[in-house]
Amino acid sequence: MIDKNTIKEMAFWVRVRIEDDEAETMAKEFSETLGWMGERLKNPEIDTVLPMVTPFDEEMVMRKDEVTDGNKVAAVLANAPEGATDEFFSVPKMVE
Protein backbone atom coordinates (compact mmCIF):
# COMPACT_ATOMS: atom_id res chain seq x y z
CA MET A 1 0.00 0.00 0.00
CA ILE A 2 1.41 3.34 -1.03
CA ASP A 3 0.60 6.23 1.28
CA LYS A 4 0.84 10.01 1.05
CA ASN A 5 4.29 10.04 2.69
CA THR A 6 5.69 7.65 0.09
CA ILE A 7 4.38 9.88 -2.70
CA LYS A 8 5.91 12.96 -1.05
CA GLU A 9 9.26 11.17 -0.74
CA MET A 10 9.18 10.08 -4.40
CA ALA A 11 8.34 13.68 -5.37
CA PHE A 12 11.35 14.89 -3.39
CA TRP A 13 13.74 12.50 -5.18
CA VAL A 14 12.48 13.41 -8.65
CA ARG A 15 12.42 17.12 -7.76
CA VAL A 16 8.67 17.63 -8.26
CA ARG A 17 6.51 19.71 -5.98
CA ILE A 18 3.26 17.96 -4.99
CA GLU A 19 0.63 19.43 -2.72
CA ASP A 20 -0.88 17.33 0.09
CA ASP A 21 -4.26 16.87 -1.63
CA GLU A 22 -2.53 15.78 -4.86
CA ALA A 23 -0.35 13.33 -2.89
CA GLU A 24 -3.43 11.73 -1.37
CA THR A 25 -5.02 11.25 -4.81
CA MET A 26 -1.77 9.96 -6.32
CA ALA A 27 -1.29 7.48 -3.48
CA LYS A 28 -4.75 6.03 -4.15
CA GLU A 29 -4.10 5.83 -7.92
CA PHE A 30 -0.65 4.24 -7.46
CA SER A 31 -2.07 1.66 -5.07
CA GLU A 32 -4.89 0.77 -7.48
CA THR A 33 -2.47 0.47 -10.41
CA LEU A 34 0.01 -1.67 -8.50
CA GLY A 35 -2.81 -3.86 -7.18
CA TRP A 36 -4.10 -4.41 -10.72
CA MET A 37 -0.59 -5.28 -11.94
CA GLY A 38 -0.09 -7.66 -9.02
CA GLU A 39 -3.30 -9.53 -9.85
CA ARG A 40 -2.25 -9.85 -13.49
CA LEU A 41 1.16 -11.21 -12.50
CA LYS A 42 -0.33 -13.81 -10.16
CA ASN A 43 -2.33 -15.46 -12.93
CA PRO A 44 -0.64 -14.81 -16.28
CA GLU A 45 -2.54 -16.02 -19.33
CA ILE A 46 0.24 -17.95 -21.05
CA ASP A 47 -1.58 -21.10 -22.14
CA THR A 48 -1.87 -19.95 -25.76
CA VAL A 49 1.60 -18.34 -26.03
CA LEU A 50 4.16 -20.44 -27.88
CA PRO A 51 7.78 -20.45 -26.71
CA MET A 52 10.02 -18.27 -28.86
CA VAL A 53 13.51 -16.86 -29.14
CA THR A 54 12.46 -13.67 -30.91
CA PRO A 55 9.09 -12.12 -31.73
CA PHE A 56 10.07 -11.81 -35.40
CA ASP A 57 9.73 -14.55 -38.01
CA GLU A 58 12.69 -13.24 -40.01
CA GLU A 59 15.87 -15.18 -40.58
CA MET A 60 19.18 -13.55 -39.69
CA VAL A 61 21.17 -12.59 -42.77
CA MET A 62 24.84 -13.31 -42.24
CA ARG A 63 27.58 -11.59 -44.20
CA LYS A 64 31.08 -12.74 -44.96
CA ASP A 65 33.63 -11.53 -42.45
CA GLU A 66 35.98 -9.64 -44.75
CA VAL A 67 37.59 -6.19 -44.80
CA THR A 68 35.86 -3.96 -47.32
CA ASP A 69 37.17 -0.47 -46.54
CA GLY A 70 40.84 -1.00 -45.73
CA ASN A 71 44.06 0.11 -47.42
CA LYS A 72 43.21 3.82 -47.26
CA VAL A 73 46.25 4.81 -45.20
CA ALA A 74 47.32 7.60 -47.59
CA ALA A 75 43.81 9.11 -47.68
CA VAL A 76 43.54 9.08 -43.88
CA LEU A 77 47.03 10.51 -43.32
CA ALA A 78 46.34 13.29 -45.84
CA ASN A 79 44.05 14.83 -43.18
CA ALA A 80 46.85 15.10 -40.61
CA PRO A 81 47.43 18.80 -39.72
CA GLU A 82 51.22 18.49 -39.38
CA GLY A 83 51.71 15.74 -41.91
CA ALA A 84 52.67 12.19 -41.09
CA THR A 85 55.70 9.93 -40.92
CA ASP A 86 55.58 6.52 -42.55
CA GLU A 87 52.12 5.21 -41.68
CA PHE A 88 51.56 7.18 -38.46
CA PHE A 89 50.27 10.61 -37.42
CA SER A 90 52.87 13.10 -36.21
CA VAL A 91 51.91 14.75 -32.92
CA PRO A 92 53.76 17.31 -30.81
CA LYS A 93 55.75 16.03 -27.86
CA MET A 94 53.73 16.47 -24.64
CA VAL A 95 56.27 15.55 -21.93
CA GLU A 96 59.93 16.53 -21.86
Side-chain angles (χ1 to χ4, degrees), residues 36-52:
W36 179 82
M37 290 174 61
E39 288 301 316
R40 293 285 184 224
L41 292 174
K42 284 181 188 174
N43 301 314
E45 299 171 5
I46 59 171
D47 297 336
T48 60
V49 179
L50 298 174
M52 65 178 133

Side-chain angles (χ1 to χ4, degrees), residues 11-54:
F12 171 78
W13 289 112
V14 298
R15 306 293 191 252
V16 175
R17 183 176 299 147
I18 296 179
E19 302 300 327
D20 287 338
D21 58 333
E22 291 176 308
E24 196 70 46
T25 304
M26 283 185 145
K28 181 181 175 211
E29 290 174 354
F30 265 80
S31 294
E32 289 173 0
T33 302
L34 290 176
W36 179 82
M37 290 174 61
E39 288 301 316
R40 293 285 184 224
L41 292 174
K42 284 181 188 174
N43 301 314
E45 299 171 5
I46 59 171
D47 297 336
T48 60
V49 179
L50 298 174
M52 65 178 133
V53 175
T54 177

Side-chain angles (χ1 to χ4, degrees), residues 54 56-62:
T54 177
F56 304 109
D57 291 332
E58 299 175 12
E59 187 175 321
M60 290 292 289
V61 178
M62 302 296 281

